[in-house]
Amino acid sequence: MIDTKTMAAPEGQQPSELADEHAPVLRVQHLVKHFHRAGGAEVRAIDGVTLDIVPGEILVLLGPSGCGKTTLLRSVAGLESPDSGRIEIQGRPVYASAQGTTVPPERRRLSMIFQSYALWPHMSVFDNVAYPVKHAVRPRVGRRELTTRVQSVMDMVGIGELGRQFPSQLSGGQQQRVALARAMVAESQLVLFDEPMSNVDAKVREQLRVELLSMQQRLNFSALYVTHDQGEAMGLGDRIAVMRDGRVAQLGSPQDIYERPTSRYVAHFVGSSNELTGTLVHRDPDGSARVRTSLGVMTGTCIDPEVAVGDSVVLLWRPEQTILSDSALPHSINEWEGQVETALFLGPHVEHILCAGDATIRTRGNQRLIACGTRVHFSVRPEHARVLPAADRT
């Protein structure tokens, strides 16, 4: 059923409330979407997801294939039909199961950039970019204004001289810019990105990332961005929603996600980690905790209120948080000896892989290369060693 009254304010709200500059541009509430496999098994592609995007924010959906991130994006776009929940764009419901509201994609006041770019092969670059404005329901735009707006956006993304070319004559990076210009020309306040940089090489991807951030800051649009690339998520997102099995495993700033993961799943998906398994033997109200591991008792930080003394836990910390030294470290709480097994020069930093008992420890820093076989001391500060449940909760 298509709700023909969606242009009006939702019941109980006045139009002035919808103009609140701090109100979410996108609001997703308790969204659920099922798929059925050939054998009849039911899969929850989206399992009760709730999230908001505020004006001017880029929210990145990050996760592996099959985690539900693209299904969520397509549900917001109107290309998938959820089973229940609610989606609001700029204060108006575009999907609401309780009221039977479903607004078609072309009336959702958003733009979308697809992984395949979805350019019209028979249209010139100019006509591809102009398409959303030419076919907008309203307001109508005159030819002179259309030409000016399209050329301005094409210049902004660096394809101003390619207006007469066709998609087949362009490189992957140029096609990406055409897709981005087409999304920008409609002047939507919400833009959806479905892994738009997966088809270009690493150097072009880095350049496009910088250009995208620059344009987003100039135009101040909000974005929902899907990727499986953690570097892309860290570089673009104001916040990141790490997804797993249709749910949001953790939502926070890139720094929070990286430095304060709430589960082993998040810690291992976002960056590399050192991990020691053990048993929690003590915890203080301030979060300080001691864990018995194969290397001995180690002090870390535990903020999970459900972790109790006697539980199986893991200590996680990032390679760059490992302090490495040729000699003993004075006044260090967590310190052990190990042997360098591998030394890697990686340009901006050096990595060493250490063997300490049955544990393998990775370090990352700008120190000199240490020869393999060398005995070294290493440690990690308690505030950097996260104590998490050994089994991730589902």
Side-chain angles (χ1 to χ4, degrees):
M1 170 179 174
I2 296 176
D3 184 357
T4 58
K5 298 181 180 180
T6 53
M7 299 302 289
E11 184 178 353
Q13 286 185 311
Q14 299 300 317
S16 60
E17 294 180 67
L18 301 181
D20 181 358
E21 62 180 4
H22 301 296
V25 173
L26 172 68
R27 170 162 284 169
V28 177
Q29 295 177 303
H30 312 297
L31 202 68
V32 173
K33 171 66 178 176
H34 299 84
F35 288 113
H36 290 87
R37 290 179 175 158
E42 185 178 84
V43 177
R44 280 203 171 197
I46 309 174
D47 193 4
V49 169
T50 294
L51 52 81
D52 290 347
I53 297 180
V54 300
E57 178 183 37
I58 298 179
L59 175 64
V60 176
L61 301 179
L62 175 66
S65 297
C67 71
K69 59 187 186 296
T70 297
T71 302
L72 177 55
L73 185 88
R74 289 174 60 84
S75 296
V76 172
L79 303 176
E80 295 283 357
S81 298
D83 297 314
S84 63
R86 185 178 180 90
I87 303 171
E88 295 179 8
I89 296 177
Q90 293 182 275
R92 69 186 185 114
V94 296
Y95 172 78
S97 57
Q99 290 77 36
T101 300
T102 302
V103 177
E106 66 273 15
R107 293 183 177 271
R108 294 200 175 193
R109 299 178 184 173
L110 53 77
S111 297
M112 184 166 178
I113 298 181
F114 296 88
Q115 183 176 356
S116 62
Y117 312 136
L119 303 179
W120 297 103
H122 64 288
M123 291 185 182
S124 67
V125 167
F126 182 95
D127 288 336
N128 264 282
V129 175
Y131 188 88
V133 182
K134 283 183 177 180
H135 295 83
V137 177
R138 60 176 181 163
R140 295 293 181 182
V141 175
R143 179 172 295 182
R144 181 175 297 179
E145 181 184 347
L146 172 66
T147 301
T148 300
R149 188 194 297 186
V150 171
Q151 190 62 50
S152 175
V153 172
M154 288 171 54
D155 290 340
M156 187 185 300
V157 300
I159 56 169
E161 74 286 358
L162 300 178
R164 295 185 178 182
Q165 303 297 307
F166 288 84
S168 61
Q169 299 172 304
L170 307 179
S171 67
Q174 289 171 330
Q175 290 182 34
Q176 170 62 58
R177 289 182 174 91
V178 175
L180 185 57
R182 184 176 59 187
M184 297 298 98
V185 77
E187 299 180 347
S188 303
Q189 292 303 301
L190 177 63
V191 183
L192 310 183
F193 295 85
D194 185 12
E195 303 200 53
M197 300 186 192
S198 60
N199 294 327
V200 296
D201 61 52
K203 190 165 186 176
V204 173
R205 188 183 306 127
E206 184 177 347
Q207 182 180 354
L208 288 173
R209 189 185 307 165
V210 173
E211 291 177 1
L212 174 58
L213 279 174
S214 176
M215 282 187 289
Q216 189 268 339
Q217 289 163 5
R218 287 201 302 270
L219 300 175
N220 200 39
F221 61 84
S222 303
L224 184 62
Y225 191 105
V226 163
T227 184
H228 63 273
D229 185 318
Q230 58 175 291
E232 198 168 286
M234 291 285 177
L236 285 174
D238 295 298
R239 287 188 301 153
I240 298 172
V242 182
M243 296 197 65
R244 180 184 190 184
D245 298 331
R247 301 179 182 178
V248 176
Q250 187 172 348
L251 175 63
S253 69
Q255 186 172 359
D256 280 338
I257 297 292
Y258 186 79
E259 295 183 355
R260 291 173 285 278
T262 56
S263 68
R264 296 174 76 181
Y265 171 79
V266 173
H268 289 304
F269 192 82
V270 182
S272 56
S273 296
N274 291 307
E275 178 177 297
L276 290 176
T277 58
T279 303
L280 185 68
V281 295
H282 179 82
R283 67 174 299 173
D284 292 326
D286 65 358
S288 178
R290 293 198 295 276
V291 178
R292 183 178 293 110
T293 74
S294 62
L295 297 181
V297 176
M298 183 173 181
T299 302
T301 300
C302 182
I303 62 171
D304 190 327
E306 297 184 31
V307 175
V309 171
D311 286 355
S312 295
V313 295
V314 294
L315 286 122
L316 292 164
W317 72 95
R318 302 298 184 183
E320 63 272 16
Q321 294 168 336
T322 307
I323 302 168
L324 191 60
S325 175
D326 293 331
S327 56
L329 297 158
H331 312 300
S332 181
I333 297 176
N334 301 322
E335 181 183 343
W336 296 272
E337 272 194 87
Q339 180 173 297
V340 177
E341 295 291 310
T342 306
L344 304 168
F345 175 75
L346 299 175
H349 62 266
V350 170
E351 288 194 5
H352 293 97
I353 299 175
L354 315 178
C355 178
D358 61 356
T360 298
I361 307 296
R362 184 182 296 270
T363 77
R364 183 180 300 142
N366 56 7
Q367 70 269 34
R368 62 181 175 79
L369 279 172
I370 300 174
C372 294
T374 303
R375 299 292 297 179
V376 294
H377 292 256
F378 68 93
S379 71
V380 59
R381 296 172 64 179
E383 61 268 29
H384 291 155
R386 306 279 295 178
V387 180
L388 298 172
D392 281 345
R393 303 184 184 98
T394 57

